[in-house]
Amino acid sequence: MNPEPLPGTTDRRVAGLLRLLSENATIAISGARIAREIGVSRSAVWRWVERLREHGVKVRGRAATGYFLEKVPDILTADELKKRLKGSLFGKRIYHFFKTDSTNRVAFELGEAGEPEGVVVLAEEQTGGRGRAGRTWHSERATGIYMTLLLRPKLAPVQAPILTMIAGLSAHAAVEAVTGLTVDLKWPNDLMIRGKKAGGILTEMHADPGQVRFVVVGIGLNVNQERFPAELANVATSLRQETGKTQSRMESLVRLLREFESDYNRFVREGVSSVVKRFEVLSSYAHGKRVRVTNGTESYLGTTVGLGPEGLLQVERDDGHVVTVIAGDVAEAR
Ligand code: BTN
Protein backbone atom coordinates (compact mmCIF):
# COMPACT_ATOMS: atom_id res chain seq x y z
CA MET A 1 0.00 0.00 0.00
CA ASN A 2 1.09 3.55 -0.61
CA PRO A 3 1.36 5.80 2.39
CA GLU A 4 -1.28 8.47 2.92
CA PRO A 5 -0.40 11.60 0.97
CA LEU A 6 1.62 13.97 3.10
CA PRO A 7 0.87 17.67 2.62
CA GLY A 8 3.21 19.10 0.01
CA THR A 9 4.37 15.78 -1.44
CA THR A 10 4.21 15.30 -5.17
CA ASP A 11 0.76 14.12 -6.24
CA ARG A 12 1.07 10.66 -7.80
CA ARG A 13 -0.95 11.90 -10.76
CA VAL A 14 1.57 14.71 -11.37
CA ALA A 15 4.25 12.02 -11.29
CA GLY A 16 2.07 10.04 -13.76
CA LEU A 17 1.91 13.05 -16.07
CA LEU A 18 5.67 13.40 -15.89
CA ARG A 19 6.12 9.73 -16.71
CA LEU A 20 3.75 9.91 -19.68
CA LEU A 21 5.57 12.92 -21.08
CA SER A 22 8.98 11.33 -20.46
CA GLU A 23 8.01 8.06 -22.14
CA ASN A 24 6.89 10.02 -25.21
CA ALA A 25 9.59 12.68 -25.07
CA THR A 26 9.61 15.13 -28.01
CA ILE A 27 6.24 13.77 -29.29
CA ALA A 28 3.33 16.13 -28.66
CA ILE A 29 0.51 14.51 -26.69
CA SER A 30 -2.84 16.28 -26.63
CA GLY A 31 -4.29 17.49 -23.36
CA ALA A 32 -7.32 15.27 -24.05
CA ARG A 33 -5.19 12.12 -24.34
CA ILE A 34 -3.23 12.93 -21.21
CA ALA A 35 -6.48 13.55 -19.36
CA ARG A 36 -7.83 10.19 -20.51
CA GLU A 37 -4.68 8.24 -19.68
CA ILE A 38 -4.23 9.55 -16.17
CA GLY A 39 -7.94 9.83 -15.46
CA VAL A 40 -8.37 13.53 -14.73
CA SER A 41 -10.05 16.54 -16.35
CA ARG A 42 -8.35 18.54 -19.09
CA SER A 43 -8.23 21.60 -16.87
CA ALA A 44 -6.37 19.55 -14.22
CA VAL A 45 -3.81 18.59 -16.89
CA TRP A 46 -3.32 22.26 -17.73
CA ARG A 47 -2.87 23.17 -14.05
CA TRP A 48 -0.32 20.40 -13.52
CA VAL A 49 1.63 21.31 -16.62
CA GLU A 50 1.85 24.82 -15.19
CA ARG A 51 3.07 23.37 -11.87
CA LEU A 52 5.73 21.31 -13.59
CA ARG A 53 6.87 24.43 -15.43
CA GLU A 54 7.06 26.35 -12.15
CA HIS A 55 9.37 23.61 -10.90
CA GLY A 56 11.66 24.05 -13.88
CA VAL A 57 10.48 21.11 -16.01
CA LYS A 58 10.69 22.19 -19.64
CA VAL A 59 7.21 21.34 -20.96
CA ARG A 60 6.54 22.89 -24.36
CA GLY A 61 3.26 23.25 -26.27
CA ARG A 62 -0.37 23.93 -25.43
CA ALA A 63 -3.45 21.86 -24.70
CA ALA A 64 -4.77 22.22 -28.26
CA THR A 65 -1.56 21.32 -30.08
CA GLY A 66 -0.32 18.90 -27.46
CA TYR A 67 2.40 18.96 -24.81
CA PHE A 68 5.90 17.56 -25.06
CA LEU A 69 9.11 17.66 -23.07
CA GLU A 70 11.99 19.61 -24.51
CA LYS A 71 14.32 17.42 -22.44
CA VAL A 72 13.61 14.44 -20.17
CA PRO A 73 14.10 15.85 -16.68
CA ASP A 74 16.22 14.15 -14.05
CA ILE A 75 13.48 14.32 -11.40
CA LEU A 76 13.71 11.89 -8.50
CA THR A 77 10.07 10.80 -8.44
CA ALA A 78 8.97 8.16 -5.95
CA ASP A 79 7.52 5.83 -8.60
CA GLU A 80 10.69 5.72 -10.67
CA LEU A 81 12.85 5.25 -7.60
CA LYS A 82 10.64 2.44 -6.28
CA LYS A 83 11.04 0.64 -9.60
CA ARG A 84 14.80 0.92 -9.31
CA LEU A 85 14.85 -0.18 -5.67
CA LYS A 86 12.67 -3.29 -5.78
CA GLY A 87 13.31 -5.50 -2.76
CA SER A 88 15.28 -2.80 -0.95
CA LEU A 89 14.53 -1.49 2.53
CA PHE A 90 14.44 1.98 0.94
CA GLY A 91 12.11 1.11 -1.96
CA LYS A 92 8.92 0.94 0.07
CA ARG A 93 7.92 4.32 1.45
CA ILE A 94 9.30 7.26 -0.49
CA TYR A 95 8.04 10.82 -0.07
CA HIS A 96 8.97 13.20 -2.87
CA PHE A 97 8.64 16.98 -2.71
CA PHE A 98 9.28 19.46 -5.45
CA LYS A 99 9.93 21.95 -2.67
CA THR A 100 10.08 21.72 1.11
CA ASP A 101 11.97 23.49 3.88
CA SER A 102 14.10 20.53 5.03
CA THR A 103 13.86 16.80 4.38
CA ASN A 104 15.31 16.23 7.86
CA ARG A 105 12.43 18.19 9.37
CA VAL A 106 9.87 16.15 7.39
CA ALA A 107 11.53 12.81 8.21
CA PHE A 108 11.71 13.75 11.90
CA GLU A 109 7.96 14.40 11.95
CA LEU A 110 7.33 11.10 10.17
CA GLY A 111 9.47 9.40 12.82
CA GLU A 112 7.41 10.99 15.57
CA ALA A 113 4.24 9.84 13.78
CA GLY A 114 5.47 6.23 14.02
CA GLU A 115 6.51 5.63 10.39
CA PRO A 116 8.72 2.56 9.98
CA GLU A 117 12.42 2.18 9.33
CA GLY A 118 13.31 2.65 5.68
CA VAL A 119 11.25 5.77 4.89
CA VAL A 120 13.00 8.03 2.36
CA VAL A 121 12.23 11.74 2.06
CA LEU A 122 13.47 13.52 -1.06
CA ALA A 123 13.22 17.09 -2.26
CA GLU A 124 14.11 18.72 -5.54
CA GLU A 125 14.66 21.96 -3.61
CA GLN A 126 14.94 22.91 0.07
CA THR A 127 14.18 26.38 1.30
CA GLY A 128 15.69 25.77 4.76
CA GLY A 129 18.19 22.96 4.24
CA ARG A 130 19.95 22.29 7.55
CA GLY A 131 23.69 21.83 7.90
CA ARG A 132 25.86 20.99 10.89
CA ALA A 133 26.33 23.44 13.72
CA GLY A 134 23.25 25.48 12.80
CA ARG A 135 24.51 26.25 9.30
CA THR A 136 22.28 26.14 6.22
CA TRP A 137 22.70 23.75 3.30
CA HIS A 138 22.64 25.29 -0.15
CA SER A 139 19.82 23.37 -1.90
CA GLU A 140 19.36 24.74 -5.40
CA ARG A 141 16.50 23.24 -7.39
CA ALA A 142 17.03 19.88 -9.14
CA THR A 143 20.82 20.09 -9.09
CA GLY A 144 21.76 18.22 -5.91
CA ILE A 145 20.43 15.25 -3.98
CA TYR A 146 18.63 16.31 -0.80
CA MET A 147 17.51 13.22 1.01
CA THR A 148 16.76 11.94 4.50
CA LEU A 149 16.43 8.34 5.69
CA LEU A 150 14.43 7.28 8.72
CA LEU A 151 16.03 4.49 10.78
CA ARG A 152 15.14 2.73 14.00
CA PRO A 153 18.40 1.09 15.07
CA LYS A 154 18.85 -0.58 18.45
CA LEU A 155 21.50 1.80 19.71
CA ALA A 156 22.32 3.86 22.76
CA PRO A 157 22.12 7.60 21.97
CA VAL A 158 25.92 7.97 22.28
CA GLN A 159 26.37 5.43 19.47
CA ALA A 160 24.10 7.21 16.98
CA PRO A 161 26.92 9.24 15.32
CA ILE A 162 28.16 5.97 13.80
CA LEU A 163 25.28 6.33 11.32
CA THR A 164 26.87 9.53 10.01
CA MET A 165 30.04 7.58 9.34
CA ILE A 166 28.11 4.78 7.61
CA ALA A 167 26.41 7.34 5.36
CA GLY A 168 29.84 8.83 4.62
CA LEU A 169 31.18 5.41 3.58
CA SER A 170 28.15 4.79 1.36
CA ALA A 171 28.35 8.18 -0.31
CA HIS A 172 32.08 7.68 -0.82
CA ALA A 173 31.53 4.32 -2.54
CA ALA A 174 28.60 5.57 -4.63
CA VAL A 175 30.36 8.68 -5.92
CA GLU A 176 33.57 6.81 -6.77
CA ALA A 177 31.60 4.09 -8.58
CA VAL A 178 29.39 6.47 -10.57
CA THR A 179 32.00 9.08 -11.49
CA GLY A 180 35.39 7.37 -11.25
CA LEU A 181 36.59 10.33 -9.13
CA THR A 182 38.78 9.91 -6.06
CA VAL A 183 36.84 10.91 -2.97
CA ASP A 184 38.04 11.63 0.56
CA LEU A 185 36.12 11.65 3.83
CA LYS A 186 36.72 14.46 6.27
CA TRP A 187 35.79 13.29 9.73
CA PRO A 188 32.98 13.06 10.65
CA ASN A 189 30.67 13.93 7.82
CA ASP A 190 32.15 15.64 4.78
CA LEU A 191 32.62 14.18 1.34
CA MET A 192 35.62 15.89 -0.19
CA ILE A 193 36.92 16.00 -3.74
CA ARG A 194 40.26 17.72 -4.39
CA GLY A 195 39.99 19.56 -1.10
CA LYS A 196 36.47 20.90 -1.65
CA LYS A 197 33.22 19.75 -0.12
CA ALA A 198 30.87 17.80 -2.42
CA GLY A 199 28.54 16.42 0.21
CA GLY A 200 27.58 16.48 3.87
CA ILE A 201 25.57 14.44 6.34
CA LEU A 202 23.41 15.60 9.20
CA THR A 203 22.15 12.96 11.62
CA GLU A 204 19.48 13.92 14.15
CA MET A 205 17.79 11.65 16.66
CA HIS A 206 14.91 11.20 19.03
CA ALA A 207 15.93 9.17 22.05
CA ASP A 208 14.84 8.01 25.47
CA PRO A 209 17.53 7.73 28.12
CA GLY A 210 19.68 4.80 27.03
CA GLN A 211 17.77 3.98 23.82
CA VAL A 212 17.38 5.62 20.43
CA ARG A 213 13.75 5.81 19.27
CA PHE A 214 14.61 6.86 15.75
CA VAL A 215 17.34 8.55 13.79
CA VAL A 216 17.09 10.66 10.65
CA VAL A 217 20.15 10.64 8.41
CA GLY A 218 20.14 13.60 6.04
CA ILE A 219 22.46 13.49 3.06
CA GLY A 220 23.20 16.40 0.77
CA LEU A 221 25.22 15.69 -2.38
CA ASN A 222 26.27 18.36 -4.88
CA VAL A 223 25.69 16.74 -8.25
CA ASN A 224 25.01 19.14 -11.11
CA GLN A 225 25.68 22.60 -9.70
CA GLU A 226 27.57 24.63 -12.30
CA ARG A 227 28.55 27.27 -9.79
CA PHE A 228 28.01 28.14 -6.13
CA PRO A 229 27.24 31.44 -4.40
CA ALA A 230 30.37 33.55 -3.84
CA GLU A 231 30.70 32.59 -0.17
CA LEU A 232 30.85 28.87 -1.08
CA ALA A 233 32.76 29.03 -4.36
CA ASN A 234 36.16 28.32 -2.77
CA VAL A 235 35.02 25.55 -0.48
CA ALA A 236 32.27 23.67 -2.35
CA THR A 237 32.29 21.59 -5.49
CA SER A 238 29.92 19.34 -7.43
CA LEU A 239 30.30 16.10 -9.37
CA ARG A 240 29.60 18.04 -12.54
CA GLN A 241 32.34 20.55 -11.81
CA GLU A 242 34.80 17.76 -11.06
CA THR A 243 33.99 15.54 -14.05
CA GLY A 244 33.09 18.27 -16.55
CA LYS A 245 29.89 16.37 -17.35
CA THR A 246 26.27 16.44 -16.23
CA GLN A 247 25.64 13.46 -13.97
CA SER A 248 22.40 11.53 -13.53
CA ARG A 249 21.06 12.29 -10.07
CA MET A 250 18.87 9.18 -10.31
CA GLU A 251 21.90 6.91 -10.91
CA SER A 252 23.86 8.44 -8.03
CA LEU A 253 20.86 8.21 -5.74
CA VAL A 254 20.07 4.56 -6.51
CA ARG A 255 23.71 3.62 -6.00
CA LEU A 256 23.88 5.60 -2.76
CA LEU A 257 20.79 3.89 -1.33
CA ARG A 258 22.01 0.43 -2.35
CA GLU A 259 25.41 1.10 -0.76
CA PHE A 260 23.81 2.47 2.40
CA GLU A 261 21.57 -0.56 2.78
CA SER A 262 24.48 -2.94 2.47
CA ASP A 263 26.69 -0.88 4.83
CA TYR A 264 23.86 -0.58 7.37
CA ASN A 265 23.17 -4.34 7.30
CA ARG A 266 26.87 -5.03 7.70
CA PHE A 267 26.95 -2.72 10.70
CA VAL A 268 23.97 -4.50 12.27
CA ARG A 269 25.74 -7.85 11.75
CA GLU A 270 29.32 -6.90 12.60
CA GLY A 271 29.05 -3.87 14.88
CA VAL A 272 30.81 -0.53 15.20
CA SER A 273 34.37 -1.71 14.67
CA SER A 274 33.80 -2.70 11.02
CA VAL A 275 32.62 0.85 10.25
CA VAL A 276 35.46 2.50 12.14
CA LYS A 277 38.09 0.35 10.43
CA ARG A 278 36.79 1.13 6.94
CA PHE A 279 36.53 4.83 7.71
CA GLU A 280 40.12 4.84 8.93
CA VAL A 281 41.30 3.29 5.67
CA LEU A 282 39.34 5.66 3.42
CA SER A 283 39.75 8.97 5.24
CA SER A 284 42.98 10.91 4.86
CA TYR A 285 41.93 12.73 8.02
CA ALA A 286 42.17 9.70 10.29
CA HIS A 287 45.97 9.54 10.60
CA GLY A 288 48.79 12.03 10.36
CA LYS A 289 46.76 15.05 9.24
CA ARG A 290 47.62 18.49 10.63
CA VAL A 291 44.32 19.92 11.79
CA ARG A 292 42.81 22.81 13.64
CA VAL A 293 39.95 21.78 15.91
CA THR A 294 37.47 24.45 16.91
CA ASN A 295 34.69 23.92 19.39
CA GLY A 296 32.51 26.22 21.44
CA THR A 297 35.21 27.02 23.97
CA GLU A 298 38.58 26.61 22.32
CA SER A 299 40.60 26.16 19.17
CA TYR A 300 43.81 24.14 18.95
CA LEU A 301 46.30 22.69 16.48
CA GLY A 302 47.39 19.09 16.39
CA THR A 303 47.94 15.95 14.31
CA THR A 304 45.37 13.18 13.95
CA VAL A 305 46.37 9.80 15.43
CA GLY A 306 43.41 7.56 14.50
CA LEU A 307 39.84 6.92 15.55
CA GLY A 308 38.73 5.62 18.94
CA PRO A 309 36.63 2.46 19.28
CA GLU A 310 33.36 4.41 18.82
CA GLY A 311 34.71 6.31 15.82
CA LEU A 312 35.72 9.54 17.57
CA LEU A 313 38.74 11.33 16.16
CA GLN A 314 41.91 11.32 18.27
CA VAL A 315 44.20 14.32 17.95
CA GLU A 316 47.66 14.76 19.43
CA ARG A 317 47.80 18.40 20.37
CA ASP A 318 50.98 20.33 19.86
CA ASP A 319 51.50 20.26 23.65
CA GLY A 320 51.69 16.43 23.45
CA HIS A 321 48.26 15.60 24.92
CA VAL A 322 46.08 13.20 22.95
CA VAL A 323 42.46 14.37 23.00
CA THR A 324 39.24 12.90 21.68
CA VAL A 325 37.17 15.22 19.53
CA ILE A 326 33.58 14.85 20.67
CA ALA A 327 32.13 17.90 19.00
CA GLY A 328 33.50 20.72 16.96
CA ASP A 329 34.86 21.53 13.55
CA VAL A 330 37.97 19.90 12.19
CA ALA A 331 39.82 21.73 9.43
CA GLU A 332 43.05 20.90 7.67
CA ALA A 333 45.77 23.21 8.97
CA ARG A 334 48.17 24.33 6.25
C1 BTN B 1 26.71 19.44 6.71
O1 BTN B 1 26.66 20.54 7.30
O2 BTN B 1 27.73 19.07 6.16
C2 BTN B 1 25.49 18.56 6.68
C3 BTN B 1 24.60 18.88 5.53
C4 BTN B 1 23.38 17.99 5.41
C5 BTN B 1 22.44 18.46 4.32
C6 BTN B 1 21.31 17.52 4.08
S1 BTN B 1 20.40 17.91 2.61
C7 BTN B 1 19.19 16.75 3.03
C8 BTN B 1 18.98 16.83 4.52
N1 BTN B 1 17.99 17.82 4.87
C9 BTN B 1 18.51 18.85 5.52
O3 BTN B 1 17.87 19.83 5.92
N2 BTN B 1 19.82 18.65 5.71
C10 BTN B 1 20.26 17.40 5.17
Side-chain angles (χ1 to χ4, degrees):
M1 273 299 287
N2 287 303
E4 282 298 299
L6 185 71
T9 43
T10 306
D11 190 311
R12 294 200 69 214
R13 291 166 302 178
V14 178
L17 167 62
L18 197 54
R19 193 175 51 246
L20 190 62
L21 291 170
S22 302
E23 283 167 2
N24 298 279
T26 70
I27 302 168
I29 317 177
S30 71
R33 182 178 150 208
I34 296 174
R36 236 184 2 260
E37 294 211 10
I38 53 179
V40 293
S41 69
R42 278 199 262 173
S43 60
V45 172
W46 178 81
R47 277 200 312 277
W48 292 346
V49 166
E50 289 305 307
R51 266 193 70 199
L52 288 178
R53 284 176 173 155
E54 278 163 26
H55 291 303
V57 179
K58 300 258 180 299
V59 189
R60 295 271 178 254
R62 287 176 281 120
T65 52
Y67 296 108
F68 64 98
L69 287 177
E70 186 182 283
K71 192 166 141 251
V72 176
D74 186 21
I75 303 275
L76 307 173
T77 53
D79 282 358
E80 184 57 27
L81 196 54
K82 279 182 190 167
K83 264 198 254 159
R84 302 283 307 268
L85 289 170
K86 281 229 166 71
S88 156
L89 168 65
F90 300 113
K92 298 187 177 89
R93 289 167 95 85
I94 301 173
Y95 294 91
H96 175 267
F97 292 80
F98 274 105
K99 194 196 270 195
T100 190
D101 54 348
S102 155
T103 55
N104 267 33
R105 196 270 307 154
V106 174
F108 206 91
E109 286 188 13
L110 292 170
E112 285 177 323
E115 289 263 335
E117 169 153 289
V119 163
V120 178
V121 183
L122 277 162
E124 300 297 323
E125 178 181 359
Q126 295 184 118
T127 52
R130 300 179 189 164
R132 270 185 90 216
R135 288 188 281 260
T136 56
W137 186 256
H138 175 68
S139 310
E140 183 192 337
R141 183 175 73 197
T143 53
I145 291 173
Y146 317 115
M147 168 180 74
T148 304
L149 309 176
L150 173 65
L151 301 169
R152 295 186 179 277
K154 289 187 178 51
L155 288 180
V158 290
Q159 297 172 308
I162 200 74
L163 294 164
T164 302
M165 295 176 81
I166 297 175
L169 291 175
S170 318
H172 183 282
V175 171
E176 287 205 337
V178 167
T179 63
L181 293 165
T182 300
V183 180
D184 193 8
L185 286 165
K186 179 158 96 68
W187 187 91
N189 73 326
D190 293 352
L191 207 65
M192 309 295 290
I193 303 176
R194 292 198 300 165
K196 289 182 168 182
K197 182 159 167 167
I201 297 146
L202 179 66
T203 299
E204 300 179 276
M205 72 174 142
H206 185 48
D208 293 329
Q211 173 67 47
V212 165
R213 296 220 355 231
F214 64 83
V215 175
V216 298
V217 180
I219 304 175
L221 186 62
N222 301 332
V223 182
N224 283 326
Q225 285 87 346
E226 290 182 60
R227 61 191 72 80
F228 287 90
E231 67 278 14
L232 295 177
N234 291 327
V235 289
T237 190
S238 71
L239 307 189
R240 177 179 175 152
Q241 285 179 322
E242 295 300 322
T243 57
K245 284 192 294 216
T246 303
Q247 301 290 327
S248 158
R249 288 187 309 147
M250 185 56 97
E251 292 307 320
S252 302
L253 176 59
V254 168
R255 185 70 192 235
L256 174 54
L257 286 168
R258 292 261 179 219
E259 294 285 346
F260 187 89
E261 184 171 16
S262 113
D263 290 339
Y264 183 58
N265 287 339
R266 182 164 166 188
F267 160 68
V268 170
R269 274 193 325 270
E270 297 175 15
V272 173
S273 69
S274 67
V275 179
V276 174
K277 276 192 209 133
R278 282 175 63 211
F279 201 97
E280 276 197 307
V281 171
L282 293 175
S283 170
S284 77
Y285 279 74
H287 288 276
K289 179 80 95 187
R290 283 290 291 163
V291 291
R292 173 169 291 283
V293 181
T294 310
N295 59 37
T297 51
E298 57 176 350
S299 171
Y300 54 85
L301 282 166
T303 304
T304 60
V305 290
L307 302 180
E310 299 289 344
L312 295 176
L313 187 66
Q314 316 283 305
V315 176
E316 183 174 338
R317 294 169 60 137
D318 285 356
D319 63 10
H321 283 97
V322 175
V323 289
T324 299
V325 182
I326 293 165
D329 263 350
V330 176
E332 183 167 11
R334 291 172 203 273

